[in-house]
Every structure is written in C-alpha cells, then in structure tokens.
Amino acid sequence: MRGILRAAALAGAIGAAALLPPTTASATPDATAAPGCVTDSETEDFGRGEITVCVDGGGVRVTGYVEDLKPGGPFTGGDSGCVAWSIDWQTATGTDSSSSHMACPHFPGGEAYVEFDYDPTESEYGPKDVTGVRDTSLALVFM
C-alpha cells in the first residue's frame, strides 16, 4: 500500500506521469525527521544512483546522480522508463513527496546519466516548510 501511495505522490510531482512503484524498499526507511543530511545509494537492474539530502535552518539541498541502465524501448533491450529518486519529506504540516531530476535517455536530448544539485523548495510544486527527510528510494518512472 505504501508503494502505491508513494507512486501517486511522485506522479503528481512530475505532472501527469504514470509511475510504477519502486522495485525495492529504501535503504533508509524513516531516515530522520530532524535537520541534518541523509545519504543513500542503490543499484537495481533498471538503474543506479546516489543522493544526499540536507535540511538545515530552513534550507534544503539535494545532490547526487541517477543513471538509467536500460535506455531505449522494449524492442531495443530497454525498459522505456526513466530513473529518479523518490524523496519523502517531513514538513511542518506532515509528509510530502517529490522526485529528483530524472535520467531519461529515450527522450530526445535526454541523458542516461544525470548529476543534480538543487533546492526542491524553489519549485512551485516542491515541498514547503521542510523539517527533515523520512525516506529516499530509487524509482523507475514511466512517462
């Protein structure tokens, strides 16, 4: 049930995208609800990545990378999916979810390997009033 809820939240964050639930449990379940940094790395058959999420003094920073290990469509040995990190946030009003930048090599101009460094609260669709990180997990996203 939690995977379905996470999938729905991630799909809303990236807009009208259909999302399959992450294929494995997170390496950092309920990581922290307090300020600080959380680091996670995962390797799955569809992709791999590393992420560091820091929450401190009202500031949020997300850094890391994602790599799509099965680029292309099903007729070329790929899976037609994108790879991203799903992040469950602890906020002043409860929990919220968002996703990292995605590796989508099957789209024109898309990359199989993407590094990122950003503040998700700067997006109008990003989390607000973040107080910590509850969970991170590598996800396969279908768009």
Side-chain angles (χ1 to χ4, degrees), residues 16-136:
L19 170 70
L20 288 182
T23 59
T24 64
S26 168
T28 58
D30 297 321
T32 180
C37 294
V38 174
T39 298
D40 192 3
S41 65
E42 291 185 30
T43 299
E44 304 295 338
D45 67 336
F46 59 85
R48 66 179 155 218
E50 184 172 299
I51 189 169
T52 298
V53 183
C54 295
V55 177
D56 189 24
V60 178
R61 197 95 213 136
V62 178
T63 59
Y65 76 92
V66 287
E67 183 176 9
D68 188 327
L69 299 177
K70 290 188 174 181
F75 301 112
T76 61
D79 58 16
S80 300
C82 301
V83 179
W85 281 99
S86 172
I87 307 165
D88 290 341
W89 302 99
Q90 183 65 44
T91 71
T93 58
T95 58
D96 195 3
S97 296
S98 68
S99 65
S100 72
H101 296 249
M102 292 184 279
C104 294
H106 58 281
F107 286 138
E111 301 285 329
Y113 179 89
V114 174
E115 291 184 8
F116 48 83
D117 181 352
Y118 68 102
D119 179 348
T121 63
E122 292 176 349
S123 166
E124 70 178 288
Y125 303 108
K128 304 297 178 220
D129 301 318
V130 173
T131 59
V133 180
R134 292 190 56 81
D135 192 24
T136 59

